[in-house]
Amino acid sequence: MIYAEIKTGDAEGTYLAHSINSHKGRLGKGHHLTSSDINDLLMSDIATITTIRLEEHDIHEDLAAAQLGQFVSGRGVKTSLAFTGRCNIYSTEHGVFETTPQDIDKINSIDEAITLATLSSYSVVHPDQLVATAKIIPLAAPSQALEQTKGLAQLTVHPFKKFKTGLILTRLPQTKKSVLAKTQMVVNQRLKSCVNELSETTIVDHTPTAIATAINTLRKSNHDLILIFGASAIVDRQDALPKGLELSGGDIEHFGMPVDPGNLLLLGNHSGCKIIGLPGCARSPKLNGFDWILQRILAGLNVNRNTIMQMGCGGLLSEIPTRPQPREKIPSEISHNAPKVTAILLAAGQSRRMGPENKLLQKWHGKPLVKWVADNIGESQVDHTIVVTGHEAKLVQKTLSQNDVEYVHNPDFTDGLSTSLIKGLMAVPADSDAVLICLGDMPSINGTQLNQLIKAYDPENGAAVCVPTFEGKRGNPVLWNKSFIPEMLNLKGDSGARHLLGNYPEDLQEVIMDNTSVLSDIDTPEALSNLRETSFTK
């Protein structure tokens, strides 16, 4: 590429190195200059401009990005049209994303003009979720360098498959029925997040003989996957659960894993069926080593001893508060770093109960309701805001044009609230700690109240979900730890995530508020009239 400041009259056919304004408007960086553009610039008294002229072996950024995207795309992914040197790559499946980090490194080492960024390998992804982006840094890439990227890496999404899965729960005399019931529920929720569910659950005594009998019974009914949750943790290959597996005629492939929590996991097989002895931490919905094994198996990936032993890098997962022996006590003065919170502002609905008018655009004290909500979020400690649009999307975006927000459009907004929530959740940045789900018709909740929820958030001490209350009644918005996102991505119809609250009483923190704003959404003309009659307090 030839980068130079030249006379405007000589610039036809080159590309702008920097954006520039003329009397007809703005020409962006990378714009291909035409004779009409040149005349416009000269009439605007712009005598010289900085341009880039492509040489023989240069490939324009958009074409180069598109080619790189195609080179690395395997099964289960699709590419977008390249724009400003970027080609985004999206999943077409609900499953497990796979690539090889060393291969990505090879591509990024070829030439500084060529970059490829991806999700971590073995991430669970959904259709239309961004899994990678190919970006050309300057306005062109060398053709020879681009050619070297061919065949170096492949991005693949393995869709979840249906498995006939059985669960064996063992009991001791002191085992509570409620513990067994909760264990079954949590295991089934994990399966549902991967498009599966338990077909059979059996409860037996915590003895090798009883376990062996249960395994053989499930194998006779053609179960593809058997999960065993012991009444006590496995401590050795001679323990009841491993011995029961061997007594049934099965084999132990590996005991233990370099993932914490999740160390005490047992991997085995019986006549082609995978057997997993679950670690005690799998009673919690929080991420642990069992999740990594389960997700890969359900996506049809091979899991063996070597798979497990290669999980150590990145295997130090967040602590589960209920564990009796935390790895390390962190001094209180440094243990509560401010969480990174992403707000999802749901602004896609048709507001049918309000009548023909879009309730979000109705004004209160001179400002549309949705603008109040966005402004209040902006005044809080929220780091990033995603606005989900649907009905009258352009009007909503125009109303929020001065707000620093990201927009995600939901073309299926008529199918219910859950579709908008899922669209927003799929756009949450990977480095977010928590998600604050906000309704666009609750304008009187201020930034101070939002900060109360964020301050109360402490997942290490039983406050992974924070719910505002007034006089004992629960309201909105609700702050969720990001670990709940996979489950929320399976919501259906016109319901949000509130019904999940009852599943996690040990993770729920109620935050008392001093007024009714957290209970008041504006759904009807009467509610709007009542709001307008109230005194204004900021």
Side-chain angles (χ1 to χ4, degrees):
M1 293 183 297
I2 301 173
Y3 179 97
E5 184 176 355
I6 62 175
K7 292 181 179 179
T8 301
D10 298 331
E12 184 177 346
T14 65
Y15 296 85
L16 275 177
H18 305 287
S19 300
I20 194 169
N21 294 315
S22 70
H23 75 285
K24 283 189 177 180
R26 183 175 181 271
L27 299 177
K29 182 185 81 169
H31 180 78
H32 191 224
L33 292 167
T34 64
S35 59
S36 176
D37 297 326
I38 299 301
N39 291 334
D40 180 27
L41 293 170
L42 290 172
M43 290 177 64
S44 302
D45 296 325
I46 299 173
T48 62
I49 51 176
T50 303
T51 67
I52 290 175
R53 189 181 298 277
L54 301 188
E55 298 182 276
E56 180 182 357
H57 298 294
D58 290 331
I59 299 179
H60 184 266
E61 58 175 351
D62 289 344
L63 179 57
Q67 288 185 6
L68 178 57
Q70 290 298 324
F71 288 165
V72 300
S73 292
R75 300 187 313 276
V77 301
K78 63 182 179 181
T79 58
S80 68
L81 291 175
F83 181 71
T84 63
R86 182 184 301 277
C87 177
N88 287 332
I89 303 171
Y90 297 90
S91 170
T92 62
E93 305 283 355
H94 182 193
V96 173
F97 169 73
E98 183 182 31
T99 191
T100 306
Q102 298 92 320
D103 294 339
I104 304 302
D105 292 343
K106 289 177 184 177
I107 287 178
N108 288 319
S109 299
I110 290 173
D111 190 285
E112 66 181 16
I114 297 171
T115 68
L116 179 66
T118 76
L119 294 181
S120 297
S121 194
Y122 304 111
S123 298
V124 173
V125 296
H126 292 257
D128 298 321
Q129 181 176 344
L130 182 68
V131 298
T133 184
K135 179 71 172 78
I136 305 303
I137 302 301
L139 290 176
S143 59
Q144 183 180 6
L146 189 62
E147 189 67 21
Q148 292 179 48
T149 67
K150 240 185 214 183
L152 282 186
Q154 186 171 76
L155 313 181
T156 305
V157 175
H158 303 274
F160 288 124
K161 305 175 185 297
K162 292 288 187 179
F163 280 67
K164 186 176 182 182
T165 303
L167 173 64
I168 300 171
L169 299 173
T170 75
R171 65 190 170 203
L172 293 167
Q174 67 271 26
T175 304
K176 296 181 179 179
K177 291 182 179 180
S178 60
V179 172
L180 296 174
K182 177 184 176 181
T183 302
Q184 180 181 351
M185 178 190 70
V186 172
V187 170
N188 203 35
Q189 286 172 341
R190 278 193 160 88
L191 289 166
K192 286 182 177 180
S193 71
C194 301
V195 201
N196 277 265
E197 61 183 338
L198 287 171
S199 65
E200 186 174 346
T201 299
T202 182
I203 300 173
V204 301
D205 290 336
H206 189 70
T207 65
T209 301
I211 293 169
T213 301
I215 291 173
N216 284 323
T217 300
L218 291 176
R219 280 304 294 137
K220 287 177 183 177
S221 55
N222 298 315
H223 280 76
D224 308 303
L225 175 64
I226 298 175
L227 309 176
I228 311 176
F229 211 124
S232 63
I234 308 169
V235 297
D236 188 84
R237 279 176 172 253
Q238 302 302 311
D239 210 340
L241 203 154
K243 291 298 291 183
L245 172 58
E246 290 183 323
L247 190 61
S248 73
D251 298 308
I252 298 171
E253 292 187 43
H254 191 72
F255 172 52
M257 67 186 308
V259 179
D260 189 6
N263 297 141
L264 301 179
L265 179 138
L266 177 76
L267 180 67
N269 67 78
H270 186 297
S271 57
C273 169
K274 284 292 183 185
I275 311 282
I276 305 177
L278 278 61
C281 59
R283 279 199 177 90
S284 165
K286 297 178 177 63
L287 181 69
N288 62 76
F290 169 57
D291 291 297
W292 285 6
I293 300 297
L294 181 67
Q295 291 160 0
R296 296 192 199 189
I297 288 176
L298 295 179
L301 293 169
N302 183 39
V303 174
N304 54 36
R305 180 181 186 278
N306 290 335
T307 306
I308 291 176
M309 298 314 295
Q310 292 169 9
M311 289 181 170
C313 186
L316 186 62
L317 305 178
S318 60
E319 188 62 62
I320 293 180
T322 54
R323 292 184 76 198
Q325 294 180 326
R327 290 187 300 265
E328 182 181 4
K329 289 291 186 180
I330 303 175
S332 59
E333 64 270 17
I334 62 171
S335 63
H336 298 296
N337 294 324
K340 186 168 186 179
V341 177
T342 293
I344 296 177
L345 172 48
L346 299 174
Q350 294 175 282
S351 59
R352 291 172 177 166
R353 294 175 61 192
M354 184 63 73
E357 301 294 335
N358 187 337
K359 65 179 178 181
L360 302 184
L361 304 179
Q362 299 303 298
K363 291 188 176 181
W364 176 49
H365 294 282
K367 191 159 65 174
L369 302 188
V370 71
K371 175 68 172 170
W372 274 110
V373 178
D375 286 351
N376 290 336
I377 293 173
E379 293 173 1
S380 74
Q381 295 170 0
V382 165
D383 295 272
H384 181 61
T385 302
I386 296 168
V387 178
V388 184
T389 61
H391 179 58
E392 295 186 338
K394 290 183 178 179
L395 291 177
V396 172
Q397 289 192 35
K398 182 178 179 181
T399 301
L400 304 181
S401 60
Q402 300 302 311
N403 292 81
D404 182 16
V405 299
E406 174 188 355
Y407 295 100
V408 175
H409 183 64
N410 176 24
D412 303 317
F413 64 90
T414 57
D415 292 339
L417 176 69
S418 64
T419 63
S420 295
L421 178 56
I422 289 170
K423 283 290 184 183
L425 291 169
M426 288 169 59
V428 172
D431 61 348
S432 292
D433 297 304
V435 180
L436 183 67
I437 301 174
C438 302
L439 304 180
D441 61 355
M442 300 186 74
S444 55
I445 298 174
N446 58 42
T448 299
Q449 292 171 306
L450 299 180
N451 288 341
Q452 283 181 257
L453 292 172
I454 296 172
K455 184 178 180 181
Y457 173 76
D458 185 5
E460 301 301 318
N461 291 290
V465 185
C466 298
V467 184
T469 65
F470 180 73
E471 295 183 348
K473 295 181 179 179
R474 293 176 180 173
N476 283 297
V478 179
L479 182 70
W480 297 82
N481 181 272
K482 68 177 181 181
S483 63
F484 294 97
I485 290 179
E487 186 172 357
M488 289 192 278
L489 288 172
N490 291 308
L491 294 170
K492 303 292 183 184
D494 203 33
S495 63
R498 290 185 62 83
H499 73 277
L500 300 179
L501 296 176
N503 296 340
Y504 304 102
E506 71 277 10
D507 293 308
L508 183 64
Q509 176 67 51
E510 293 187 340
V511 183
I512 299 173
M513 299 292 174
D514 60 3
N515 59 60
T516 62
S517 59
V518 296
L519 307 179
S520 305
D521 55 344
I522 312 304
D523 272 341
T524 64
E526 292 76 18
L528 179 60
S529 177
N530 291 336
L531 176 70
R532 286 171 172 166
E533 291 174 3
T534 60
S535 58
F536 175 73
T537 56
K538 183 70 173 116

